[in-house]
């Protein structure tokens, strides 16, 4: 088996104690995923596992043997940025940029969750088949990703512009 990372198979680490974050950054040389708190509190290490967002600092790499991992490096296609990556640039959704990869991966996963009808803590209608990403939904769903440098309004604008234009009006 192998871990499929951004479309390329990679052997899982020999040491079963290696986190997915350390496997990506230190063993495979993919620096896009950031190590923030290393305790699952900041979201800087967020990646997508089979399209769902996970905190790679809390995951063991061997757990993802046979699964597909998408990092920030895997969101762009060819020379073209993912629409959310471009929106972060256009909306000045980063200052230091450290949280940006985790914010973007989390937002991609968050939008997929909403499309599937997965409710959040603030979803009013739990029976709705489609969940609109309004102001409160968007902020609640992104609350696991912290920005400590003050780019929060730009981040929300970029995510809203990409997935819920009505949320940022």
């Amino acid at each position: 088996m192998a871990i499929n990372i951004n479309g390329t198979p990679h052997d899982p680490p020999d040491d079963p104690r290696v986190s997915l974050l350390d496997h990506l950054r230190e063993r495979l040389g993919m620096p896009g995923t950031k190590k923030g708190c290393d305790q699952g509190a900041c979201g800087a290490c967020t990646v997508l596992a089979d399209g769902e967002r996970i905190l790679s600092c809390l995951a063991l790499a061997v757990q993802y043997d046979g699964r597909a991992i998408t990092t920030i490096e895997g969101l762009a296609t060819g020379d073209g940025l993912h629409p959310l990556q471009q929106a972060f640039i256009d909306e000045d959704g980063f200052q230091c940029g450290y949280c940006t990869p985790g914010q973007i991966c989390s937002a991609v996963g968050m939008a997929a969750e909403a499309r599937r009808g997965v409710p959040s803590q603030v979803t009013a209608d739990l029976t709705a088949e489609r969940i609109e990403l309004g102001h409160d939904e968007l902020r609640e769903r992104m609350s696991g990703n912290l920005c400590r440098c003050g780019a929060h309004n730009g981040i929300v604008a970029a995510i809203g512009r990409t997935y819920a234009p009505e949320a940022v009006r």
Side-chain angles (χ1 to χ4, degrees):
M1 293 287 264
I3 305 172
N4 185 325
I5 301 171
N6 299 329
T8 302
H10 294 271
D11 291 331
D14 292 332
D15 184 346
R17 299 170 297 175
V18 174
S19 72
L20 180 58
L21 173 62
D22 288 341
H23 187 60
L24 292 169
R25 289 185 56 83
E26 298 173 13
R27 300 184 181 208
L28 299 178
M30 297 180 176
T33 306
K34 303 301 185 210
K35 183 179 276 191
C37 67
D38 209 21
Q39 300 176 352
C42 72
C45 67
T46 303
V47 297
L48 301 169
D50 296 328
E52 296 190 16
R53 53 189 172 165
I54 64 165
L55 299 169
S56 63
C57 73
L58 298 181
L60 297 174
V62 296
Q63 293 175 285
Y64 294 91
D65 194 6
R67 297 182 64 188
I69 301 297
T70 304
T71 68
I72 191 69
E73 294 97 336
L75 289 178
T77 55
D79 292 334
L81 293 175
H82 184 280
L84 186 55
Q85 291 173 312
Q86 186 62 54
F88 264 66
I89 293 169
D90 296 343
E91 298 290 342
D92 199 19
F94 52 89
Q95 287 182 356
C96 78
Y98 201 80
C99 71
T100 303
Q103 297 271 6
I104 291 173
C105 284
S106 186
V108 170
M110 175 273 307
E113 291 166 11
R115 282 191 301 272
R116 291 194 315 269
V118 177
S120 77
Q121 185 69 26
V122 299
T123 302
D125 182 1
L126 298 180
T127 63
E129 291 184 24
R130 178 178 160 83
I131 296 173
E132 297 297 324
L133 288 174
H135 178 271
D136 292 343
E137 277 287 346
L138 196 151
R139 288 180 184 269
E140 169 60 22
R141 289 174 183 270
M142 292 301 297
S143 64
N145 290 77
L146 302 176
C147 166
R148 293 183 175 92
C149 67
H152 192 73
N153 289 335
I155 291 168
V156 171
I159 296 168
R161 174 179 149 182
T162 305
Y163 295 115
E166 66 279 357
V168 293
R169 289 187 189 145

mmCIF file with all atom_site columns, all heavy atoms in Angstrom, residues 109-130:
data_model
loop_
_atom_site.group_PDB
_atom_site.id
_atom_site.type_symbol
_atom_site.label_atom_id
_atom_site.label_alt_id
_atom_site.label_comp_id
_atom_site.label_asym_id
_atom_site.label_entity_id
_atom_site.label_seq_id
_atom_site.pdbx_PDB_ins_code
_atom_site.Cartn_x
_atom_site.Cartn_y
_atom_site.Cartn_z
_atom_site.occupancy
_atom_site.B_iso_or_equiv
_atom_site.pdbx_formal_charge
_atom_site.auth_seq_id
_atom_site.auth_comp_id
_atom_site.auth_asym_id
_atom_site.auth_atom_id
_atom_site.pdbx_PDB_model_num
ATOM 1   N N   . GLY A 1 109 ? -12.432 21.864 2.492  1.00 0.00 ? 109 GLY A N   1
ATOM 2   C CA  . GLY A 1 109 ? -13.156 20.782 3.162  1.00 0.00 ? 109 GLY A CA  1
ATOM 3   C C   . GLY A 1 109 ? -14.481 21.255 3.745  1.00 0.00 ? 109 GLY A C   1
ATOM 4   O O   . GLY A 1 109 ? -15.491 20.550 3.676  1.00 0.00 ? 109 GLY A O   1
ATOM 5   N N   . MET A 1 110 ? -14.483 22.455 4.305  1.00 0.00 ? 110 MET A N   1
ATOM 6   C CA  . MET A 1 110 ? -15.691 23.036 4.892  1.00 0.00 ? 110 MET A CA  1
ATOM 7   C C   . MET A 1 110 ? -16.786 23.209 3.847  1.00 0.00 ? 110 MET A C   1
ATOM 8   O O   . MET A 1 110 ? -17.950 22.881 4.084  1.00 0.00 ? 110 MET A O   1
ATOM 9   C CB  . MET A 1 110 ? -15.341 24.385 5.527  1.00 0.00 ? 110 MET A CB  1
ATOM 10  C CG  . MET A 1 110 ? -16.473 25.196 6.097  1.00 0.00 ? 110 MET A CG  1
ATOM 11  S SD  . MET A 1 110 ? -17.340 26.310 4.971  1.00 0.00 ? 110 MET A SD  1
ATOM 12  C CE  . MET A 1 110 ? -16.059 27.283 4.252  1.00 0.00 ? 110 MET A CE  1
ATOM 13  N N   . ALA A 1 111 ? -16.428 23.693 2.691  1.00 0.00 ? 111 ALA A N   1
ATOM 14  C CA  . ALA A 1 111 ? -17.413 23.893 1.628  1.00 0.00 ? 111 ALA A CA  1
ATOM 15  C C   . ALA A 1 111 ? -17.999 22.555 1.176  1.00 0.00 ? 111 ALA A C   1
ATOM 16  O O   . ALA A 1 111 ? -19.210 22.458 0.921  1.00 0.00 ? 111 ALA A O   1
ATOM 17  C CB  . ALA A 1 111 ? -16.774 24.634 0.453  1.00 0.00 ? 111 ALA A CB  1
ATOM 18  N N   . ALA A 1 112 ? -17.172 21.529 1.115  1.00 0.00 ? 112 ALA A N   1
ATOM 19  C CA  . ALA A 1 112 ? -17.675 20.198 0.736  1.00 0.00 ? 112 ALA A CA  1
ATOM 20  C C   . ALA A 1 112 ? -18.629 19.662 1.804  1.00 0.00 ? 112 ALA A C   1
ATOM 21  O O   . ALA A 1 112 ? -19.651 19.048 1.480  1.00 0.00 ? 112 ALA A O   1
ATOM 22  C CB  . ALA A 1 112 ? -16.496 19.245 0.518  1.00 0.00 ? 112 ALA A CB  1
ATOM 23  N N   . GLU A 1 113 ? -18.304 19.897 3.077  1.00 0.00 ? 113 GLU A N   1
ATOM 24  C CA  . GLU A 1 113 ? -19.199 19.472 4.166  1.00 0.00 ? 113 GLU A CA  1
ATOM 25  C C   . GLU A 1 113 ? -20.564 20.147 4.031  1.00 0.00 ? 113 GLU A C   1
ATOM 26  O O   . GLU A 1 113 ? -21.604 19.497 4.170  1.00 0.00 ? 113 GLU A O   1
ATOM 27  C CB  . GLU A 1 113 ? -18.602 19.839 5.529  1.00 0.00 ? 113 GLU A CB  1
ATOM 28  C CG  . GLU A 1 113 ? -17.382 19.049 5.897  1.00 0.00 ? 113 GLU A CG  1
ATOM 29  C CD  . GLU A 1 113 ? -16.631 19.668 7.079  1.00 0.00 ? 113 GLU A CD  1
ATOM 30  O OE1 . GLU A 1 113 ? -17.173 20.599 7.733  1.00 0.00 ? 113 GLU A OE1 1
ATOM 31  O OE2 . GLU A 1 113 ? -15.495 19.242 7.349  1.00 0.00 ? 113 GLU A OE2 1
ATOM 32  N N   . ALA A 1 114 ? -20.563 21.435 3.768  1.00 0.00 ? 114 ALA A N   1
ATOM 33  C CA  . ALA A 1 114 ? -21.823 22.168 3.631  1.00 0.00 ? 114 ALA A CA  1
ATOM 34  C C   . ALA A 1 114 ? -22.618 21.663 2.433  1.00 0.00 ? 114 ALA A C   1
ATOM 35  O O   . ALA A 1 114 ? -23.842 21.522 2.514  1.00 0.00 ? 114 ALA A O   1
ATOM 36  C CB  . ALA A 1 114 ? -21.543 23.666 3.513  1.00 0.00 ? 114 ALA A CB  1
ATOM 37  N N   . ARG A 1 115 ? -21.928 21.383 1.326  1.00 0.00 ? 115 ARG A N   1
ATOM 38  C CA  . ARG A 1 115 ? -22.627 20.859 0.138  1.00 0.00 ? 115 ARG A CA  1
ATOM 39  C C   . ARG A 1 115 ? -23.279 19.505 0.430  1.00 0.00 ? 115 ARG A C   1
ATOM 40  O O   . ARG A 1 115 ? -24.318 19.173 -0.105 1.00 0.00 ? 115 ARG A O   1
ATOM 41  C CB  . ARG A 1 115 ? -21.672 20.726 -1.040 1.00 0.00 ? 115 ARG A CB  1
ATOM 42  C CG  . ARG A 1 115 ? -21.366 22.019 -1.746 1.00 0.00 ? 115 ARG A CG  1
ATOM 43  C CD  . ARG A 1 115 ? -20.636 21.783 -3.075 1.00 0.00 ? 115 ARG A CD  1
ATOM 44  N NE  . ARG A 1 115 ? -19.378 21.073 -2.931 1.00 0.00 ? 115 ARG A NE  1
ATOM 45  C CZ  . ARG A 1 115 ? -18.201 21.664 -2.702 1.00 0.00 ? 115 ARG A CZ  1
ATOM 46  N NH1 . ARG A 1 115 ? -18.115 22.966 -2.622 1.00 0.00 ? 115 ARG A NH1 1
ATOM 47  N NH2 . ARG A 1 115 ? -17.118 20.943 -2.581 1.00 0.00 ? 115 ARG A NH2 1
ATOM 48  N N   . ARG A 1 116 ? -22.634 18.716 1.297  1.00 0.00 ? 116 ARG A N   1
ATOM 49  C CA  . ARG A 1 116 ? -23.195 17.403 1.664  1.00 0.00 ? 116 ARG A CA  1
ATOM 50  C C   . ARG A 1 116 ? -24.306 17.506 2.704  1.00 0.00 ? 116 ARG A C   1
ATOM 51  O O   . ARG A 1 116 ? -24.905 16.509 3.081  1.00 0.00 ? 116 ARG A O   1
ATOM 52  C CB  . ARG A 1 116 ? -22.095 16.475 2.197  1.00 0.00 ? 116 ARG A CB  1
ATOM 53  C CG  . ARG A 1 116 ? -21.091 16.031 1.156  1.00 0.00 ? 116 ARG A CG  1
ATOM 54  C CD  . ARG A 1 116 ? -20.233 14.868 1.643  1.00 0.00 ? 116 ARG A CD  1
ATOM 55  N NE  . ARG A 1 116 ? -19.724 15.027 2.986  1.00 0.00 ? 116 ARG A NE  1
ATOM 56  C CZ  . ARG A 1 116 ? -18.542 15.591 3.299  1.00 0.00 ? 116 ARG A CZ  1
ATOM 57  N NH1 . ARG A 1 116 ? -17.770 16.044 2.351  1.00 0.00 ? 116 ARG A NH1 1
ATOM 58  N NH2 . ARG A 1 116 ? -18.152 15.675 4.549  1.00 0.00 ? 116 ARG A NH2 1
ATOM 59  N N   . GLY A 1 117 ? -24.536 18.708 3.228  1.00 0.00 ? 117 GLY A N   1
ATOM 60  C CA  . GLY A 1 117 ? -25.584 18.912 4.225  1.00 0.00 ? 117 GLY A CA  1
ATOM 61  C C   . GLY A 1 117 ? -25.171 18.594 5.644  1.00 0.00 ? 117 GLY A C   1
ATOM 62  O O   . GLY A 1 117 ? -26.025 18.422 6.514  1.00 0.00 ? 117 GLY A O   1
ATOM 63  N N   . VAL A 1 118 ? -23.872 18.540 5.914  1.00 0.00 ? 118 VAL A N   1
ATOM 64  C CA  . VAL A 1 118 ? -23.388 18.284 7.272  1.00 0.00 ? 118 VAL A CA  1
ATOM 65  C C   . VAL A 1 118 ? -23.615 19.557 8.098  1.00 0.00 ? 118 VAL A C   1
ATOM 66  O O   . VAL A 1 118 ? -23.076 20.604 7.760  1.00 0.00 ? 118 VAL A O   1
ATOM 67  C CB  . VAL A 1 118 ? -21.882 17.909 7.268  1.00 0.00 ? 118 VAL A CB  1
ATOM 68  C CG1 . VAL A 1 118 ? -21.369 17.727 8.690  1.00 0.00 ? 118 VAL A CG1 1
ATOM 69  C CG2 . VAL A 1 118 ? -21.642 16.669 6.424  1.00 0.00 ? 118 VAL A CG2 1
ATOM 70  N N   . PRO A 1 119 ? -24.418 19.465 9.164  1.00 0.00 ? 119 PRO A N   1
ATOM 71  C CA  . PRO A 1 119 ? -24.707 20.676 9.938  1.00 0.00 ? 119 PRO A CA  1
ATOM 72  C C   . PRO A 1 119 ? -23.532 21.095 10.821 1.00 0.00 ? 119 PRO A C   1
ATOM 73  O O   . PRO A 1 119 ? -22.676 20.284 11.164 1.00 0.00 ? 119 PRO A O   1
ATOM 74  C CB  . PRO A 1 119 ? -25.901 20.260 10.805 1.00 0.00 ? 119 PRO A CB  1
ATOM 75  C CG  . PRO A 1 119 ? -25.760 18.789 10.956 1.00 0.00 ? 119 PRO A CG  1
ATOM 76  C CD  . PRO A 1 119 ? -25.118 18.295 9.682  1.00 0.00 ? 119 PRO A CD  1
ATOM 77  N N   . SER A 1 120 ? -23.539 22.371 11.181 1.00 0.00 ? 120 SER A N   1
ATOM 78  C CA  . SER A 1 120 ? -22.554 22.877 12.137 1.00 0.00 ? 120 SER A CA  1
ATOM 79  C C   . SER A 1 120 ? -23.289 23.213 13.436 1.00 0.00 ? 120 SER A C   1
ATOM 80  O O   . SER A 1 120 ? -24.505 23.018 13.545 1.00 0.00 ? 120 SER A O   1
ATOM 81  C CB  . SER A 1 120 ? -21.877 24.138 11.593 1.00 0.00 ? 120 SER A CB  1
ATOM 82  O OG  . SER A 1 120 ? -22.736 25.258 11.725 1.00 0.00 ? 120 SER A OG  1
ATOM 83  N N   . GLN A 1 121 ? -22.576 23.763 14.380 1.00 0.00 ? 121 GLN A N   1
ATOM 84  C CA  . GLN A 1 121 ? -23.170 24.150 15.659 1.00 0.00 ? 121 GLN A CA  1
ATOM 85  C C   . GLN A 1 121 ? -24.248 25.217 15.499 1.00 0.00 ? 121 GLN A C   1
ATOM 86  O O   . GLN A 1 121 ? -25.155 25.298 16.312 1.00 0.00 ? 121 GLN A O   1
ATOM 87  C CB  . GLN A 1 121 ? -22.065 24.655 16.596 1.00 0.00 ? 121 GLN A CB  1
ATOM 88  C CG  . GLN A 1 121 ? -22.516 24.969 17.984 1.00 0.00 ? 121 GLN A CG  1
ATOM 89  C CD  . GLN A 1 121 ? -22.911 23.728 18.765 1.00 0.00 ? 121 GLN A CD  1
ATOM 90  O OE1 . GLN A 1 121 ? -22.438 22.634 18.500 1.00 0.00 ? 121 GLN A OE1 1
ATOM 91  N NE2 . GLN A 1 121 ? -23.790 23.895 19.732 1.00 0.00 ? 121 GLN A NE2 1
ATOM 92  N N   . VAL A 1 122 ? -24.166 26.029 14.445 1.00 0.00 ? 122 VAL A N   1
ATOM 93  C CA  . VAL A 1 122 ? -25.122 27.124 14.273 1.00 0.00 ? 122 VAL A CA  1
ATOM 94  C C   . VAL A 1 122 ? -26.162 26.870 13.185 1.00 0.00 ? 122 VAL A C   1
ATOM 95  O O   . VAL A 1 122 ? -26.978 27.740 12.893 1.00 0.00 ? 122 VAL A O   1
ATOM 96  C CB  . VAL A 1 122 ? -24.399 28.468 13.998 1.00 0.00 ? 122 VAL A CB  1
ATOM 97  C CG1 . VAL A 1 122 ? -23.500 28.841 15.160 1.00 0.00 ? 122 VAL A CG1 1
ATOM 98  C CG2 . VAL A 1 122 ? -23.637 28.417 12.690 1.00 0.00 ? 122 VAL A CG2 1
ATOM 99  N N   . THR A 1 123 ? -26.160 25.702 12.579 1.00 0.00 ? 123 THR A N   1
ATOM 100 C CA  . THR A 1 123 ? -27.144 25.392 11.540 1.00 0.00 ? 123 THR A CA  1
ATOM 101 C C   . THR A 1 123 ? -28.535 25.378 12.165 1.00 0.00 ? 123 THR A C   1
ATOM 102 O O   . THR A 1 123 ? -28.782 24.633 13.115 1.00 0.00 ? 123 THR A O   1
ATOM 103 C CB  . THR A 1 123 ? -26.843 24.026 10.886 1.00 0.00 ? 123 THR A CB  1
ATOM 104 O OG1 . THR A 1 123 ? -25.530 24.059 10.328 1.00 0.00 ? 123 THR A OG1 1
ATOM 105 C CG2 . THR A 1 123 ? -27.860 23.707 9.796  1.00 0.00 ? 123 THR A CG2 1
ATOM 106 N N   . ALA A 1 124 ? -29.422 26.214 11.624 1.00 0.00 ? 124 ALA A N   1
ATOM 107 C CA  . ALA A 1 124 ? -30.763 26.341 12.199 1.00 0.00 ? 124 ALA A CA  1
ATOM 108 C C   . ALA A 1 124 ? -31.657 25.169 11.827 1.00 0.00 ? 124 ALA A C   1
ATOM 109 O O   . ALA A 1 124 ? -32.381 24.645 12.656 1.00 0.00 ? 124 ALA A O   1
ATOM 110 C CB  . ALA A 1 124 ? -31.393 27.654 11.735 1.00 0.00 ? 124 ALA A CB  1
ATOM 111 N N   . ASP A 1 125 ? -31.616 24.747 10.573 1.00 0.00 ? 125 ASP A N   1
ATOM 112 C CA  . ASP A 1 125 ? -32.487 23.676 10.097 1.00 0.00 ? 125 ASP A CA  1
ATOM 113 C C   . ASP A 1 125 ? -31.663 22.412 9.883  1.00 0.00 ? 125 ASP A C   1
ATOM 114 O O   . ASP A 1 125 ? -30.969 22.269 8.875  1.00 0.00 ? 125 ASP A O   1
ATOM 115 C CB  . ASP A 1 125 ? -33.168 24.107 8.788  1.00 0.00 ? 125 ASP A CB  1
ATOM 116 C CG  . ASP A 1 125 ? -34.133 23.059 8.264  1.00 0.00 ? 125 ASP A CG  1
ATOM 117 O OD1 . ASP A 1 125 ? -34.298 21.999 8.925  1.00 0.00 ? 125 ASP A OD1 1
ATOM 118 O OD2 . ASP A 1 125 ? -34.714 23.294 7.189  1.00 0.00 ? 125 ASP A OD2 1
ATOM 119 N N   . LEU A 1 126 ? -31.740 21.497 10.826 1.00 0.00 ? 126 LEU A N   1
ATOM 120 C CA  . LEU A 1 126 ? -30.944 20.272 10.748 1.00 0.00 ? 126 LEU A CA  1
ATOM 121 C C   . LEU A 1 126 ? -31.462 19.303 9.692  1.00 0.00 ? 126 LEU A C   1
ATOM 122 O O   . LEU A 1 126 ? -30.805 18.316 9.385  1.00 0.00 ? 126 LEU A O   1
ATOM 123 C CB  . LEU A 1 126 ? -30.903 19.585 12.111 1.00 0.00 ? 126 LEU A CB  1
ATOM 124 C CG  . LEU A 1 126 ? -30.259 20.396 13.225 1.00 0.00 ? 126 LEU A CG  1
ATOM 125 C CD1 . LEU A 1 126 ? -30.279 19.619 14.537 1.00 0.00 ? 126 LEU A CD1 1
ATOM 126 C CD2 . LEU A 1 126 ? -28.833 20.784 12.862 1.00 0.00 ? 126 LEU A CD2 1
ATOM 127 N N   . THR A 1 127 ? -32.652 19.566 9.143  1.00 0.00 ? 127 THR A N   1
ATOM 128 C CA  . THR A 1 127 ? -33.198 18.680 8.109  1.00 0.00 ? 127 THR A CA  1
ATOM 129 C C   . THR A 1 127 ? -32.938 19.208 6.701  1.00 0.00 ? 127 THR A C   1
ATOM 130 O O   . THR A 1 127 ? -33.288 18.541 5.737  1.00 0.00 ? 127 THR A O   1
ATOM 131 C CB  . THR A 1 127 ? -34.715 18.502 8.302  1.00 0.00 ? 127 THR A CB  1
ATOM 132 O OG1 . THR A 1 127 ? -35.349 19.780 8.150  1.00 0.00 ? 127 THR A OG1 1
ATOM 133 C CG2 . THR A 1 127 ? -35.023 17.924 9.677  1.00 0.00 ? 127 THR A CG2 1
ATOM 134 N N   . ALA A 1 128 ? -32.336 20.391 6.593  1.00 0.00 ? 128 ALA A N   1
ATOM 135 C CA  . ALA A 1 128 ? -32.089 20.978 5.271  1.00 0.00 ? 128 ALA A CA  1
ATOM 136 C C   . ALA A 1 128 ? -31.132 20.111 4.465  1.00 0.00 ? 128 ALA A C   1
ATOM 137 O O   . ALA A 1 128 ? -30.143 19.606 4.994  1.00 0.00 ? 128 ALA A O   1
ATOM 138 C CB  . ALA A 1 128 ? -31.510 22.384 5.425  1.00 0.00 ? 128 ALA A CB  1
ATOM 139 N N   . GLU A 1 129 ? -31.450 19.913 3.193  1.00 0.00 ? 129 GLU A N   1
ATOM 140 C CA  . GLU A 1 129 ? -30.565 19.147 2.323  1.00 0.00 ? 129 GLU A CA  1
ATOM 141 C C   . GLU A 1 129 ? -29.384 19.981 1.861  1.00 0.00 ? 129 GLU A C   1
ATOM 142 O O   . GLU A 1 129 ? -28.322 19.453 1.536  1.00 0.00 ? 129 GLU A O   1
ATOM 143 C CB  . GLU A 1 129 ? -31.347 18.627 1.117  1.00 0.00 ? 129 GLU A CB  1
ATOM 144 C CG  . GLU A 1 129 ? -32.346 17.563 1.494  1.00 0.00 ? 129 GLU A CG  1
ATOM 145 C CD  . GLU A 1 129 ? -33.051 16.998 0.285  1.00 0.00 ? 129 GLU A CD  1
ATOM 146 O OE1 . GLU A 1 129 ? -32.496 17.068 -0.823 1.00 0.00 ? 129 GLU A OE1 1
ATOM 147 O OE2 . GLU A 1 129 ? -34.171 16.494 0.470  1.00 0.00 ? 129 GLU A OE2 1
ATOM 148 N N   . ARG A 1 130 ? -29.596 21.284 1.787  1.00 0.00 ? 130 ARG A N   1
ATOM 149 C CA  . ARG A 1 130 ? -28.529 22.200 1.363  1.00 0.00 ? 130 ARG A CA  1
ATOM 150 C C   . ARG A 1 130 ? -28.350 23.251 2.447  1.00 0.00 ? 130 ARG A C   1
ATOM 151 O O   . ARG A 1 130 ? -29.313 23.851 2.902  1.00 0.00 ? 130 ARG A O   1
ATOM 152 C CB  . ARG A 1 130 ? -28.904 22.859 0.043  1.00 0.00 ? 130 ARG A CB  1
ATOM 153 C CG  . ARG A 1 130 ? -27.891 23.857 -0.442 1.00 0.00 ? 130 ARG A CG  1
ATOM 154 C CD  . ARG A 1 130 ? -28.323 24.442 -1.794 1.00 0.00 ? 130 ARG A CD  1
ATOM 155 N NE  . ARG A 1 130 ? -27.669 25.681 -2.082 1.00 0.00 ? 130 ARG A NE  1
ATOM 156 C CZ  . ARG A 1 130 ? -26.457 25.794 -2.604 1.00 0.00 ? 130 ARG A CZ  1
ATOM 157 N NH1 . ARG A 1 130 ? -25.799 24.720 -2.910 1.00 0.00 ? 130 ARG A NH1 1
ATOM 158 N NH2 . ARG A 1 130 ? -25.924 26.968 -2.826 1.00 0.00 ? 130 ARG A NH2 1
#
